[in-house]
Amino acid sequence: MPMAGAIRWQTALTALEPGDELARRRLGRGAAMSPHLSPDLVSDAQQLLAYTFMVHALIAASIVAVMAAVTGWFMVLRRESFAGHTLSVMAFPGAAAAILAGIPVAFGYFAFSGGAALVIGAGSVRRGRGGGVQAALTGTVQAAALALGFLLLGVYGGLLESPTSLLFGSFLGISATQVVSLAVLAVGVLAFFALVGRPLLFASVDGAVASAHRVPVKALSISFMVVLGLTAAAIAQVTGALLVLALLVAPPATAMQLTPRIGVSLLLSILTALVTVWLGLGLAYFTNYAAGFFITTVAFTIYLAARLIGTLAWRPRREMVGPRPPSKADGLRHASVEG
Amino acid sequence: MVSGREDARAGQGAERDAGRGGQGRARTPAIELHDAQVRLGGRTIWSGVEVAAGHGELIAVLGPNGAGKSTLLQVLLGAVPLSRGTATVLGSPPGARDARIGFLPQRRVFDSGTRIRGIDIVRLGLDGSRWGMPVPGAARLSARARARAARVSELIEMVGAREYANRPIDECSGGEQQRLLIAQALAHRPELLLLDEPLDGLDLTNQAAVTALVKAIATERNVTVLLVAHDVNPLLPHLDRVIYLAGGRAAVGTPSEVITSPTLSALYGVDVEVLRTGSGRMVVVGAPEAPHAHGRRHPLADGAHGAGAGG
């Protein structure tokens, strides 16, 4: 799995599975020849799907995109992006520890991100959400995690050339087993939101009132943090630890720019995330540069466009309506309508 | 909340509607505190508090920072226990009938970036504690969802928020947000409304409008309203009674009984003067801040500043 960040096409070919030989021949190209974009979209798609590793990468990225879009939507709403970033960074020492211990890297991702989620979730809930306590705790955990990651790599010694693939991602080594495990996790994460989405929304927007309505705000906030940790660990397997935030933050932020409707916003977030990973992986495939870079750049570009659209479409309309000067009579008039 | 409970609630609502007016007030008080004392962290917040609030009364809870105004609301919600005395809320011990209480906590405005429509915020008051996920277009599929959508629409109409209910909440003004939140608190047709500083941070026009709205809710729906305020003046035309907390004790009565130099002096334990302006506004001069008051929200609010009865 560990490979240099900017993966050369030729490197990837050495990792081909037997079945790919057929695909290669069918495409009628020499093995060393790089794929190239053409105006013919069908040929582009054929090239993209010609190799099993690429199909795995696309499926894994799509699964991860859906998880990221939904979990990230709540994360942005709850203003826990910093915690989200820390949980993603935890994937780095997690992976390093797993490599050192000789177990699958994914275990390291999930153990470390999930563990840190429990620490941050339980530690910050006591003093209420969103305060300085959580930020300080989160920052401390993050710094310690990065340092630990580099230490573990040092202990492992020379064999791992650089931490770039752990930090910036490598989408070429995703196995069929990994795809299945990501799918199972995604089903679990989506089930979580299907079950507690509404109370979680209430607790996120208005914790005090939600408490008064007997919503278990603390339990929800800890369990959401754990779900965020697991989602971050899953994303890290595709984008690398440092670029997780691109998928967690940008699609929901994009959707929220475009609509204040909850359901539409969630769907838009999912759609944005999917387009982001597809475009990102496609561009990486055809240009031979790191997927992490393209995923991040596409996410950022879409967000910028959405902001622009949001500014153009919403603000002028709002100014036209203007802040209505409320009159004393309003309260009386409307209040007398029977409810 | 299953439909059975909703039916029960509707039944209670009808019963209350029938009991409106003179009959409703004759029933047991909405709130009863007897010799109530609260201790938090080893400090007595207040003690010996006697309150009996009838149905449909609009009562202001006044007092300096740290006097325990919000604590009083927490006691009524059952979130803070009394260390002495008894409390009865809507005929039951505190906490037992929270479903019949609408609560608006001390408000910070919604952060910019909370891209949720006002109408969805109101709706959370109705079904926010139900498990599940908000499904777009559910109203087209189930009768119960349709009924909830109708109720939300009714609430929006009630507080006059139709115009901005579909805007993201972070683009609404403080007054608009406050109206939406009052609508949210009214979702379950409460018999008791606890509002913690609903006028805080609003301009004078909005203070008057929100106060008028609250008064209309109290009289027309026979809802008892306890409203924590820092400044009594915007409330004066509408108030039935005040609970003035200071110096660890409480004075309860009509504004003209309580907000007087002798009563407040006795309460604070120092000489306090209540001045009345020509237009009837009241200014309290010389009231000390309670111990442990941090002046979080009103750094200028000391006795001499005295913009309102709260000092």
Side-chain angles (χ1 to χ4, degrees):
Chain A
M1 144 100 67
M3 278 183 217
I7 291 135
R8 294 289 128 193
W9 180 240
Q10 285 75 10
T11 323
L13 286 181
T14 62
L16 284 182
E17 292 169 29
D20 292 328
E21 194 57 41
L22 193 71
R24 194 186 307 165
R25 240 181 272 133
R26 198 164 48 217
L27 277 171
R29 288 207 178 78
M33 196 174 163
S34 293
H36 60 278
L37 265 179
S38 68
D40 179 6
L41 288 175
V42 178
S43 138
D44 290 346
Q46 272 176 353
Q47 292 182 58
L48 206 55
L49 301 176
Y51 299 107
T52 314
F53 76 88
M54 199 58 204
V55 174
H56 284 172
L58 281 169
I59 297 175
S62 307
I63 293 170
V64 154
V66 173
M67 284 167 76
V70 178
T71 310
W73 192 87
F74 281 94
M75 182 191 79
V76 169
L77 187 70
R78 296 170 62 81
R79 274 146 226 294
E80 290 180 337
S81 299
F82 187 42
H85 186 219
T86 300
L87 296 179
S88 337
V89 166
M90 285 310 291
F92 170 53
I99 292 171
L100 195 61
I103 55 174
V105 178
F107 287 134
Y109 282 137
F110 287 119
F112 272 60
S113 294
L118 274 178
V119 170
I120 295 174
S124 54
V125 90
R126 244 167 270 142
R127 295 288 189 86
R129 188 176 63 80
V133 181
Q134 178 175 359
L137 176 69
T138 309
T140 313
V141 170
Q142 187 179 67
L146 275 174
L148 181 65
F150 281 106
L151 174 73
L152 289 173
L153 282 187
V155 171
Y156 190 69
L159 280 169
L160 202 63
E161 270 185 29
S162 74
T164 30
S165 76
L166 294 183
L167 289 178
F168 298 104
S170 108
F171 63 98
L172 296 175
I174 295 169
S175 65
T177 329
Q178 233 175 327
V179 170
V180 172
S181 69
L182 284 178
V184 170
L185 181 69
V187 168
V189 165
L190 293 181
F192 170 81
F193 287 112
L195 195 67
V196 305
R198 200 186 289 110
L200 180 64
L201 182 74
F202 200 4
S204 308
V205 180
D206 210 336
V209 180
S211 287
H213 279 246
R214 297 279 186 263
V215 172
V217 175
K218 284 180 187 177
L220 279 175
S221 119
I222 295 177
S223 47
F224 173 74
M225 197 58 86
V226 172
V227 167
L228 181 58
L230 296 179
T231 307
I235 305 168
Q237 297 180 33
V238 174
T239 64
L242 281 189
L243 300 180
V244 167
L245 219 56
L247 269 187
L248 265 182
V249 171
T254 302
M256 286 176 182
Q257 281 296 322
L258 295 176
T259 176
R261 290 171 176 272
I262 296 165
V264 181
S265 187
L266 273 166
L267 289 178
L268 256 181
S269 178
I270 293 174
L271 192 69
T272 311
L274 285 173
V275 168
T276 301
V277 296
W278 290 337
L279 273 180
L281 285 184
L283 287 169
Y285 181 82
F286 286 111
T287 60
N288 235 355
Y289 291 107
F293 165 75
F294 285 110
I295 290 177
T296 312
T297 307
V298 170
F300 180 64
T301 311
I302 296 179
Y303 174 71
L304 272 190
R307 267 212 90 111
L308 200 68
I309 295 170
T311 313
L312 294 179
W314 283 95
R315 301 298 137 77
R317 202 193 304 169
R318 204 191 151 205
E319 272 157 32
M320 261 153 45
V321 173
R324 188 180 58 113
S327 66
K328 190 172 173 178
D330 273 348
L332 290 166
R333 190 183 68 224
H334 291 293
S336 57
V337 180
E338 181 57 37
Chain B
M1 164 209 346
V2 293
S3 63
R5 245 176 91 189
E6 269 173 8
D7 292 346
R9 188 166 289 134
Q12 281 171 357
E15 168 202 317
R16 188 156 39 83
D17 288 352
R20 234 169 234 175
Q23 231 182 352
R25 282 166 203 277
R27 293 192 307 173
T28 53
I31 299 170
E32 216 169 1
L33 289 177
H34 177 60
D35 189 28
Q37 183 198 57
V38 169
R39 289 179 65 81
L40 287 177
R43 186 167 75 92
T44 302
I45 307 295
W46 35 254
S47 60
V49 174
E50 302 276 345
V51 178
H55 292 269
E57 268 195 286
L58 173 55
I59 301 173
V61 182
L62 305 169
N65 284 340
K69 304 189 291 289
S70 300
T71 309
L72 176 62
L73 300 194
Q74 294 298 322
V75 166
L76 298 176
L77 282 169
V80 169
L82 287 179
S83 52
R84 202 178 68 211
T86 54
T88 312
V89 179
L90 304 173
S92 307
R97 307 204 59 197
D98 279 3
R100 314 293 313 141
I101 301 178
F103 174 50
L104 192 66
Q106 202 167 328
R107 180 55 48 182
R108 56 300 152 208
V109 287
F110 284 98
D111 305 306
S112 77
T114 307
R115 309 290 293 178
I116 303 277
R117 291 180 305 169
I119 192 169
D120 291 323
I121 301 281
V122 173
R123 197 190 169 89
L124 281 174
L126 201 59
D127 65 6
S129 53
R130 288 162 49 90
W131 298 115
M133 186 78 189
V135 182
R140 256 166 271 151
L141 301 175
S142 101
R144 212 189 295 166
R146 224 171 4 256
R148 274 199 291 272
R151 174 66 184 156
V152 169
S153 173
E154 209 173 278
L155 288 163
I156 301 273
E157 223 35 85
M158 203 194 295
V159 299
R162 172 66 56 216
E163 208 172 308
Y164 44 81
N166 282 309
R167 243 191 259 161
I169 191 91
D170 66 339
E171 288 182 15
C172 292
S173 73
E176 291 169 347
Q177 291 188 9
Q178 208 58 266
R179 281 158 177 264
L180 288 165
L181 287 166
I182 289 173
Q184 186 198 52
L186 289 170
H188 286 306
R189 298 188 167 84
E191 290 172 58
L192 173 63
L193 203 50
L194 304 176
L195 309 174
D196 201 346
E197 305 235 14
L199 307 183
D200 202 24
L202 300 187
D203 59 32
L204 288 174
T205 327
N206 268 311
Q207 285 187 359
V210 169
T211 309
L213 169 66
V214 169
K215 175 63 180 177
I217 290 164
T219 46
E220 291 176 21
R221 281 155 219 289
N222 206 28
V223 174
T224 308
V225 182
L226 246 70
L227 187 154
V228 173
H230 225 77
D231 181 1
V232 73
N233 287 307
L235 298 165
L236 272 178
H238 303 297
L239 277 185
D240 293 311
R241 283 193 297 163
V242 301
I243 300 174
Y244 203 112
L245 292 166
R249 281 170 301 156
V252 183
T254 63
S256 54
E257 285 166 12
V258 173
I259 308 174
T260 61
S261 300
T263 312
L264 292 193
S265 295
L267 208 54
Y268 280 106
V270 295
D271 269 345
V272 171
E273 274 186 274
V274 177
L275 308 177
R276 277 177 177 275
T277 67
S279 59
R281 289 174 66 83
M282 294 191 198
V283 185
V284 179
V285 182
E289 280 290 295
H292 301 283
H294 307 296
R296 296 157 294 163
R297 282 160 292 112
H298 301 275
L300 289 176
D302 56 38
H305 177 68

